[in-house]
Amino acid sequence: MFIQTEPTPNPATLKFLPGRSVLGHGTFEARDADEAGRSPLAARLFEVPGVSGVFFGSDFVTVTKEKGEWAHLKPAILGAIMEHFVSGLPLLPEDHEHVADDAFFEAKDADVVDTIRELIDTRVRPAVANDGGDITFRGYKDGVVFLAMKGSCSGCPSSTATLKNGIENLLRHFVPDVVEVRPV
C-alpha cells in the first residue's frame, strides 16, 4: 500500500491519501483522545506523541500536530494508517450515527438557506476537501451565515481570509441577502 502525503494551508496539518475510500459518507473529526476512541484508526493516531487532531474525509485522512516535526511524526502516522487498512477493521463502528442536521434558521428563510447550502456543497466543500478539511452550514440569521470549519481548516492561519475573501464574497454574489459569514 502506498500512501501519498500533501501539505495543507495549515502548517500544523498534513493530508494523507491512502489511495482508497476512507469514509464513504460524511466526515469524522476527533479533536482529542476521547473523541478519537470512537474510531480504531483515530485512537491509534492519537497514540503518536504530538498528534492533536484527526479528520476523515471521503478519500483522505488529515492529522494535526500540536508539537514535533513532520519528519519525525510522518513514519508513525503512515504506519498506523497502513496497518489499519491492511487489518480490514472498520474505520468507525457500524452503529456510528451521523450527526443530525441541527442547523438554525427561521422558516421564512428556507429558500435562502437552500441556496446557501447548495453553493457550499457544490462550490466550497470540494475545494476545501482538496486542502484536507470541510466546511458545513450551521445556521443563518439576519443575513449572517454561520459555518463550522473542520480538519485542516480548523485553526488554519488562512481560514479567516478564506471565509471573508472567498466564501463570503461568493455567497454575497449569489445571495444578496447575505451580509456576513462567521465561523462557529
Side-chain angles (χ1 to χ4, degrees):
M1 175 178 208
F2 179 71
I3 302 171
Q4 293 180 304
T5 60
E6 291 180 359
T8 71
N10 183 348
T13 302
L14 195 59
K15 184 176 177 182
F16 295 82
L17 299 149
R20 61 174 59 181
S21 177
V22 173
L23 197 58
H25 181 69
T27 61
F28 172 81
E29 182 174 41
R31 303 300 295 160
D32 59 41
D34 288 340
E35 288 178 344
R38 298 179 11 219
S39 163
L41 176 55
R44 179 113 189 244
L45 290 168
F46 264 88
E47 292 174 1
V48 176
V51 169
S52 63
V54 174
F55 179 81
F56 301 144
S58 62
D59 64 348
F60 64 89
V61 174
T62 58
V63 177
T64 302
K65 67 180 178 91
E66 64 182 350
K67 61 182 177 182
E69 297 298 321
W70 284 118
H72 298 110
L73 297 171
K74 255 172 72 170
I77 293 168
L78 288 167
I81 294 171
M82 186 177 302
E83 286 178 19
H84 176 81
F85 283 109
V86 169
S87 76
L89 289 172
L91 195 65
L92 295 166
E94 286 185 28
D95 64 349
H96 170 71
E97 294 180 26
H98 258 347
V99 175
D101 181 9
D102 59 351
F104 62 90
F105 58 93
E106 294 182 25
K108 68 178 177 65
D109 295 324
D111 289 341
V112 170
V113 167
D114 287 345
T115 303
I116 291 168
R117 285 181 184 219
E118 180 182 350
L119 288 166
I120 290 169
D121 288 345
T122 60
R123 296 183 183 225
V124 176
R125 291 181 79 192
V128 172
N130 283 336
D131 287 339
D134 195 16
I135 293 182
T136 55
F137 176 82
R138 302 304 299 135
Y140 177 79
K141 182 173 174 119
D142 300 327
V144 179
V145 178
F146 297 89
L147 301 174
M149 302 174 78
K150 301 176 185 177
S152 65
C153 296
S154 179
C156 177
S158 64
S159 64
T160 302
T162 299
L163 277 177
K164 291 295 178 189
N165 298 331
I167 299 167
E168 185 175 292
N169 287 342
L170 171 81
L171 293 178
R172 289 174 76 180
H173 176 77
F174 288 101
V175 185
D177 293 343
V178 171
V179 295
E180 184 182 1
V181 174
R182 291 185 195 162
V184 292

